[in-house]
DNA sequence: AACACCTGATCAATCGTTTGCGCAAACGGC
DNA sequence: GCCGTTTGCGCAAACGATTGATCAGGTGTT
């Protein structure tokens, strides 16, 4: 692989001259003729700056890591694109890692951060992790921004969870539903709490009494949605509609409804927070509230860049675009 | 961040002594007392070898890249785990990249390979890419192993596609089906051809005539499955069952069947090659042939390690475990 | 007493880039 | 024709880890 000295030899100049030309150093005083010769020589030998040499000198890798609980969750498609687009726009490459082996304090975390392989981290903590404990083990060892959740001492970015859940709930109310269940996330999860709050707001605004029995706290996975639904449908006065706090859980809601012989949307309406590839291919296709996850990714990287550059800890919320309702076929007016 | 010289100062020895102790150099002559002091000092200052320094000296990063067409496809969950497990077992970290911006010759490819950020690449070419062209642009610029598909000059690893399709087809034949459609991948795709061959083998073994009209070549995505199904169901003598060459396409098969008012499995049986999270949550849940994708990942990394160490180009097929049929609810005996 | 030899550890060069500083030559003002 | 400034470029010192060569003492042999 061609190096600076190869280019220098070919162009008949010194290594430092080449370095300055190629990095576009504005303070460099070099004649246009020389610059041209250098660029030509670099092209001819196919020069690419050596990553290790540069990283060693600059103490910067231009790599940022995106760590999510499960890389293959279709919900992360948009997020991933957003992170990558913004990273590329800033001249960085994105390293995607699974958070299973990425528990802070774990050996993988050490390899990334401790060995200086990445400049910073965008971290989506696994649902149900304790923020204090997380902050402890992450320490100040690397610039980090969390998404969906705050941990002490680190920047964070969130999406308008409350607004989204409120939108979903209002959609059901507009259809005429009065008894609406909420299949929520884990009680400890901040996103779950914000979404539950949005649900409550919508009910209150419509003058509907808030019945705690209609709210479950199971989690975001498919079996959680199933369990929540079983619980809600066992109520003496069963709901005519369910807001699922997550699209994966919503798949479980549909499954449980089918298992109990309830037709969706005729006998039970279902609306989910989040949209994903899968949502359009369930039966019936799920009405969803699309969240600005692409922008979440871009914003997170932008916040991370600030921290890397020594900026202060900050907390952002992605407000534009806001959540938007995507109507499919899982919601309808209640019967009778 | 602590460096070698910090450890050396604390232990009262030279930098080289520390390096040798910590890297476990067997040819090093150092007293056990010194070794102990060095290890203690390293632990106290929290030493982690600097990635860039090491990479520069050794011309090795211990990073391998996994490049797939779409990171969020649930089919890649097992593959990803396999690649990562084997990488970690060999002391490497995995860098996961999307192949959209990873077209060989593209800027991202240059950054990974040209700048020496990775030691090698496990590449799953996007379906329908031309092997010749791909080989051209990849060149010999990096150790590379492809999966599912061969390109000239590079090692490759595949799974038993023919056996899998044969297994799926035999399952339908055992249920009593005689007129079986095949919703295949793109005609140019090697995996699609192998699967179609397995389908044909099963028919022949059962003494069923092979009707080319029953075989489509649309692709592996959901809309492709839908289109294939529409085509097959429009046949004068429609099939009673369909083998989908891919689980995503199978979702499309289900959707189209539903759109045409056909009950699955009563009026149409569906079986898919590949298993994934989604397959258990469609309606009805899909009968699938599970492929050894985890082992595919491990094998690919192992083959890549060989190439990196200067070994010859080789082509492997993952035979153990073989494909296995997972019966769910989308297949049944034909009516009447 | 002279010699080789082994042990335990250090010296110094090297990987490829970046960058502060120095040094000529050219230039302009008087 | 002298001096100060600008222009154009090269020298050399980092960055942190690895490793062949080297060296100072101690031990054993003749």
């Amino acid at each position: 692989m061609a190096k600076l000295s190869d280019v220098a030899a070919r162009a008949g100049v010194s290594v430092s001259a080449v370095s300055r030309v190629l990095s576009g150093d504005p303070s460099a005083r070099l004649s246009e003729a020389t610059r041209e010769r250098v660029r030509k020589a670099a092209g001819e030998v196919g020069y690419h700056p050596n990553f290790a040499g540069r990283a060693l000198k600059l103490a910067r890798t231009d790599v940022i890591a995106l760590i999510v609980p499960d890389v293959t969750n279709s919900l992360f498609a948009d997020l991933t694109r957003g992170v990558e687009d913004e990273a590329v726009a800033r001249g960085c490459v994105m390293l995607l890692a699974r958070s299973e082996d990425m528990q802070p304090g774990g050996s993988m975390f050490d390899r990334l951060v401790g060995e200086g392989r990445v400049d910073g981290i965008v971290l989506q903590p696994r649902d149900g992790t304790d923020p204090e404990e997380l902050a402890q083990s992450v320490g100040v060892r690397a610039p980090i921004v969390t998404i969906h959740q705050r941990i002490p001492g680190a920047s964070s970015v969130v999406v308008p969870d409350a607004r989204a859940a409120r939108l979903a709930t209002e959609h059901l109310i507009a259809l005429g539903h009065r008894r609406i269940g909420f299949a929520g996330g884990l009680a400890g999860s901040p996103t779950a709490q914000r979404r539950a709050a949005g649900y409550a707001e919508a009910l209150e605004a419509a003058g509907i009494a808030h019945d705690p029995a209609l709210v479950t706290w199971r989690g975001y996975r498919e079996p959680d949605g199933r369990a929540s639904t079983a619980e809600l449908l066992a109520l003496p006065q069963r709901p005519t509609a369910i807001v699922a706090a997550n699209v994966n859980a919503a798949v479980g809601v549909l499954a449980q409804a089918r298992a109990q012989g309830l037709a969706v949307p005729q006998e039970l309406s279902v609306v989910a927070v989040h949209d994903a590839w899968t949502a359009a291919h369930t039966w019936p296709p799920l009405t969803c509230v699309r969240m600005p996850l692409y922008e979440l990714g871009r914003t997170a990287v932008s916040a991370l860049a600030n921290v890397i550059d020594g900026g202060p800890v900050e907390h952002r919320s992605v407000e534009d675009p806001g959540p938007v309702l995507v109507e499919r076929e899982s919601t309808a007016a209640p019967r009778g």
Side-chain angles (χ1 to χ4, degrees), chain A residues 61 63-66 113 117-122 142-145 304 308:
Chain A
T61 58
V63 175
I64 64 165
L66 170 62
V113 182
R117 286 168 184 271
V118 302
D119 292 343
I121 291 181
V122 174
I144 195 168
V145 5
L304 180 59
I308 291 175

Side-chain angles (χ1 to χ4, degrees), chain A residues 84-201:
Chain A
E84 175 143 23
D85 285 356
E86 186 69 24
V88 167
R90 292 168 181 272
C92 294
V93 320
M94 177 190 73
L95 190 153
L96 191 52
R98 309 185 302 155
S99 81
E100 287 161 62
D101 17 59
M102 276 304 156
Q103 295 316 325
S107 71
M108 267 302 135
F109 209 84
D110 277 355
R111 293 203 75 174
L112 254 46
V113 182
E115 297 184 4
R117 286 168 184 271
V118 302
D119 292 343
I121 291 181
V122 174
L123 172 69
Q124 167 166 9
R126 149 168 266 105
D127 226 52
T129 44
D130 177 37
E132 289 294 342
E133 191 183 334
L134 193 57
Q136 197 95 63
S137 48
V138 168
V140 287
R141 317 205 302 172
I144 195 168
V145 5
T146 59
I147 58 185
H148 289 318
Q149 211 174 116
R150 285 194 190 184
I151 64 174
S155 290
S156 71
V157 185
V158 299
V159 285
D161 289 301
R163 261 171 80 195
R166 178 167 181 165
L167 206 59
T169 311
E170 285 170 347
H171 168 61
L172 294 172
I173 294 173
L175 284 171
H177 292 274
R178 282 290 171 273
R179 194 148 177 82
I180 301 171
F182 184 79
L186 292 174
S189 148
T191 57
Q193 279 166 358
R194 290 194 293 268
R195 288 173 202 173
Y199 157 82
E201 278 174 29

Side-chain angles (χ1 to χ4, degrees), chain A residues 41-62:
Chain A
E44 286 167 357
V45 301
Y47 173 75
H48 286 281
N50 178 275
F51 167 62
R54 181 171 229 157
L56 179 57
K57 180 63 188 172
L58 298 180
R60 216 164 28 80
T61 58
D62 287 336

